[in-house]
Amino acid sequence: AENAARIVLVRLDEVRSFIPAALHEDCMVEQHDMRIAAKRLRYILEATEFCFGRAGGTARRRAKDLQDLLGELHDCDEMLPRVEHHLAELRSADASAVRDRAGDAADLDPALAARAPHRTAYRGLEVLAVYVEARRRLLFERFREFWQEQERAGTWERLQRAAERALEEARERREARERAARAA
């Protein structure tokens, strides 16, 4: 319990260290790093939550919720640049194709662009980009609300107190053993 408490306190501090930065919408690195920290906290609690009573079980569930939410947010962060990159590649390929079709013309006929090979893909990719960006905003709002709710509920504070209590009890047991050994 003593070693578990030490590890839990380190992992909890790690999760909390990303606040307030992670609560800013554009701090994607901090949000991703916070997800990794939440995963570490969750994993140690899966093995040791019994040492911390109800606070351990609650914190484990909330760490999983936090990890899942930040994971979905990160998926959006990974998807949007891929969609935009693919769209840019299609535009470039179409610009090359349209230029090639123009041949030796003195100027470009707009009708050539209207018949670009990938023109129908643009709309779908643009709609996908809008969806991913909007979903990220929604997920970020949910993350910020979730974090604030856990702070109000005292989830992390109760876990910290339970871990500190386990350390204090271990210290008291050690001191009692030392006193008993000196008395003997």
Side-chain angles (χ1 to χ4, degrees):
E2 181 178 5
N3 288 333
R6 284 191 176 112
I7 296 168
V8 163
L9 287 172
V10 167
R11 295 299 178 213
L12 181 58
D13 284 346
E14 183 183 20
V15 169
R16 288 171 150 176
S17 73
F18 295 103
I19 300 298
L23 295 176
H24 296 283
E25 193 167 2
D26 61 340
C27 291
M28 297 171 197
V29 171
E30 289 82 356
Q31 293 157 9
H32 176 64
D33 290 346
M34 188 178 195
R35 180 184 71 86
I36 302 301
K39 179 167 57 170
R40 291 177 178 151
L41 176 61
R42 171 187 158 207
Y43 288 168
I44 190 62
L45 287 172
E46 284 178 351
T48 65
E49 72 180 74
F50 64 91
C51 298
F52 310 108
R54 175 179 274 146
T58 300
R60 176 191 46 79
R61 289 188 300 277
R62 296 304 79 82
K64 182 185 183 323
D65 294 342
L66 179 61
Q67 177 190 350
D68 291 346
L69 188 53
L70 288 171
E72 288 188 49
L73 199 61
H74 184 66
D75 289 347
C76 292
D77 295 338
E78 291 291 310
M79 175 69 87
L80 190 56
R82 289 178 184 204
V83 171
E84 290 170 347
H85 178 74
H86 187 58
L87 189 55
E89 285 180 336
L90 292 177
R91 281 188 182 130
S92 180
D94 277 358
S96 294
V98 169
R99 172 60 191 99
D100 290 346
R101 287 180 184 164
D104 293 334
D107 197 2
L108 188 66
D109 179 0
L112 292 174
R115 292 189 310 270
H118 302 104
R119 69 190 179 282
T120 58
Y122 301 152
R123 177 94 172 124
L125 289 171
E126 290 289 348
V127 169
L128 178 58
V130 167
Y131 168 79
V132 172
E133 187 174 335
R135 184 162 192 265
R136 191 202 192 283
R137 290 178 187 179
L138 175 75
L139 291 168
F140 177 76
E141 290 168 11
R142 284 183 41 210
F143 157 65
R144 188 173 16 210
E145 290 166 5
F146 175 83
W147 182 262
Q148 291 167 347
E149 176 56 32
Q150 297 320 303
E151 288 291 300
R152 277 192 299 274
T155 301
W156 314 122
E157 188 61 36
R158 281 195 309 277
L159 178 62
Q160 181 175 340
R161 283 195 312 266
E164 288 170 346
R165 210 170 23 255
L167 288 175
E168 179 62 24
E169 290 168 0
R171 186 188 62 75
E172 290 172 359
R173 284 191 302 275
R174 196 171 33 260
E175 288 174 357
R177 283 193 307 273
E178 289 170 1
R179 283 192 304 272
R182 282 193 302 270

